Amino acid sequence: MAIDQKARYAYILEYYDSQAEMIRRYQLLYFLADDTIEMHDIKNRRIFLKRCQYDGIKLSDFFVGSIVNIYSRNLTVVEYADEFTRSANVKNHQRTLAMIKPDAFKNAGSIISAINNAGFRIANMKVFSLSRTEAEEFYSVHRNREFFDGLVDFMQQKPIMALELVKSNAILDWRAFMGPTNSNTARQNAPKSIRARYGTDGRMNAVHGSDSAENAIKEINFFFGTGHKFTSTAQFSDSASSCCLIKPHAFKENITGEILQEILNNKNFAIGALQLFSLSKENAADMLEVYKGVISEYVAMVDELSSGPLIAIEIIAKGTDKQHGVNQFRDFVGPFDPQIAKILRPNTLRAKFGINKIRNAIHCTDLPEDGNLEVEYFFHLLQ
Ligand code: IDP
Ligand code: MG
């Protein structure tokens, strides 16, 4: 059956215009028949983008809270503009809170790959180190259970990663994908599940997932809402910190997990802090300021860095002096140009995951004295 030519979804998008210091609102129409979009400036009642196919934009990019990049602007989808769009999207874009628990943190990359392969989109992601009070609050429904104290002890041992996942039927699908609460039961009854593959026992079971729509909202808010300020996990060390960015193209290609796992497997480095960010063009230009006028690809680098979500990571080099630490991670990342990297240093991250000089998968700190500055930019200034 042919799709109705006029059938379209409608969204309200916002963009912070830093030059005019105001928020601009647009209505975006997505035509289902031919995957074209059209945009209107709401205030001026003017057409902003004539109906066209827009490279790199797909229907699955649109849900409340998502960020789409059009004409180098990062636009946030803030609401559905009509009931047709709302009811279709509420079904297609359910959200849930997943957590990678301390026992599985060393496998966080592989778990993220599995999450992506199972069709979940990652809308938010951050590493936390929970205090006793925070762990107690998160699991407060279990306060009277005999396993509560053990659970709280376990949860505040090491870093954890919280993830906001989006998919149709996300809550139940993620619970099924996690497997039974007890990892040993999981290995018997659901050998492909995450808990079977990465869990330890009944308490240390690799991952968490919200159990209802109500709790999903509560738990997403707990980690990603503005209500609670968590202590930063970043170490901001002048001697050991350097900054690694998994670039937007790599995030879009769903290779974040593979890259992260390579970093986790390398015994020379530890992860201090990690978080998903969407940089505006101004932020990206700020961040890459030192390359302005130095590297001919500067403008294209800024465009790439502001083209969608990226993952910022504080890398802690273990047991080395400052000079050595940043250089050691650079060495692991490899030459700027992946084509050269593939020939000269085939085991480096850029050789394995990069495409070209702009889409080279990873940004890493170049100069030892910039390591902590770059980390502070993400984990202090942008917080
Ligand atoms: P769920 O994580 O599968 O939703 P819940 O019953 O909500 O399971 O329990 C929360 C967490 O408490 C579990 O994931 C597990 O870490 C821990 N836990 C549950 N039951 C036991 C137990 O019998 N012994 C030790 N820890 C437990
Ligand atoms: Mg539960």
Side-chain angles (χ1 to χ4, degrees):
M1 199 178 73
I3 305 174
D4 177 359
Q5 286 300 311
K6 292 206 190 91
R8 87 279 187 288
Y9 290 139
Y11 307 89
I12 305 294
L13 277 65
E14 284 184 356
Y15 160 67
Y16 179 68
D17 182 340
S18 56
Q19 253 156 24
E21 293 189 356
M22 61 180 289
I23 290 171
R24 300 196 183 277
R25 277 170 81 85
Y26 302 91
Q27 185 182 54
L28 183 144
L29 305 177
Y30 193 106
F31 294 89
L32 301 170
D34 55 2
D35 293 301
T36 53
I37 60 171
E38 179 176 301
M39 278 173 79
H40 301 259
D41 186 320
I42 293 175
K43 187 155 163 251
N44 307 330
R45 295 161 177 267
R46 257 197 306 217
I47 196 148
F48 174 74
L49 176 69
K50 276 204 336 220
R51 184 169 171 178
C52 65
Q53 226 150 28
Y54 195 93
D55 226 23
I57 297 266
K58 342 179 260 318
L59 184 56
S60 59
D61 294 334
F62 295 90
F63 52 89
V64 167
S66 71
I67 293 168
V68 289
N69 191 277
I70 295 169
Y71 286 157
S72 302
R73 291 174 164 87
N74 273 335
L75 296 134
T76 306
V77 178
V78 292
E79 51 184 296
Y80 302 115
D82 58 29
E83 203 39 51
F84 174 64
T85 309
R86 189 189 328 278
S87 56
N89 279 270
V90 164
K91 261 196 277 152
N92 291 341
H93 300 293
Q94 195 180 54
R95 282 143 191 277
T96 193
L97 191 278
M99 187 163 66
I100 300 177
K101 298 188 181 185
D103 64 319
F105 191 81
K106 58 181 181 295
N107 293 314
S110 304
I111 294 174
I112 288 165
S113 298
I115 286 172
N116 280 148
N117 291 339
F120 294 91
R121 292 170 46 99
I122 297 171
N124 232 326
M125 174 168 163
K126 186 172 179 179
V127 164
F128 295 88
S129 198
L130 297 183
S131 68
R132 172 160 287 274
T133 320
E134 285 158 355
E136 283 174 356
E137 189 188 332
F138 184 79
Y139 277 119
S140 59
V141 290
H142 299 305
R143 204 173 279 278
N144 297 320
R145 305 292 293 273
E146 76 291 350
F147 61 75
F148 184 70
D149 287 343
L151 173 62
V152 168
D153 282 345
F154 163 54
M155 287 308 298
Q156 45 157 36
Q157 268 172 21
K158 285 193 203 96
I160 57 121
M161 188 187 291
L163 299 128
E164 183 180 347
L165 304 181
V166 183
K167 185 182 174 294
S168 70
N169 206 32
I171 297 171
L172 289 179
D173 283 4
W174 173 243
R175 291 220 42 115
F177 197 55
M178 283 198 306
T181 302
N182 190 310
S183 311
N184 294 319
T185 313
R187 279 186 271 275
Q188 277 175 358
N189 300 348
K192 290 194 175 140
S193 66
I194 299 286
R195 280 167 167 170
R197 286 155 68 192
Y198 302 106
T200 316
D201 54 25
R203 173 192 300 149
M204 299 186 278
N205 54 2
V207 280
H208 166 85
S210 311
D211 60 6
S212 67
E214 194 192 343
N215 284 337
I217 292 170
K218 253 195 228 158
E219 293 176 359
I220 289 167
N221 243 319
F222 179 86
F223 285 113
F224 299 113
T226 49
H228 184 76
K229 250 199 139 18
F230 291 88
T231 312
S232 177
T233 59
Q235 297 188 14
F236 302 121
S237 157
D238 272 331
S239 54
S241 297
S242 66
C243 182
C244 164
L245 305 179
I246 299 179
K247 292 192 171 186
H249 79 90
F251 182 82
K252 250 177 251 161
E253 290 161 32
N254 288 339
I255 55 173
T256 299
E258 278 178 78
I259 296 173
L260 185 61
Q261 196 56 51
E262 295 246 355
I263 297 172
L264 287 164
N265 290 348
N266 190 317
K267 298 285 172 267
N268 295 321
F269 309 113
I271 288 176
L274 180 153
Q275 188 177 343
L276 180 148
F277 291 89
S278 288
L279 295 192
S280 68
K281 209 158 176 163
E282 289 81 3
N283 286 156
D286 262 8
M287 163 71 207
L288 297 171
E289 175 105 53
V290 292
Y291 301 101
K292 195 174 177 178
V294 178
I295 294 185
S296 59
E297 290 87 0
Y298 171 75
V299 173
M301 282 164 71
V302 169
D303 282 346
E304 163 57 26
L305 219 55
S306 57
S307 68
L310 60 80
I311 307 297
I313 308 172
E314 179 194 32
I315 300 288
I316 310 286
K318 292 195 213 160
T320 47
D321 59 274
K322 173 174 178 167
Q323 188 74 20
H324 204 133
V326 165
N327 289 343
Q328 199 177 4
F329 189 70
R330 273 188 67 200
D331 239 30
F332 176 56
V333 169
F336 186 67
D337 184 343
Q339 298 313 323
I340 293 175
K342 280 182 217 292
I343 296 164
L344 298 182
R345 310 272 317 283
N347 288 324
T348 57
L349 292 181
R350 282 173 175 158
K352 289 184 192 166
F353 301 106
I355 298 166
N356 57 36
K357 284 195 236 174
I358 304 306
R359 300 186 161 194
N360 59 357
I362 305 282
H363 161 86
C364 65
T365 306
D366 274 321
L367 301 171
E369 58 269 32
D370 289 338
N372 197 26
L373 288 176
E374 289 186 5
V375 170
E376 289 210 349
Y377 186 78
F378 285 94
F379 295 100
H380 187 75
L381 241 117
L382 292 184
Q383 294 300 308

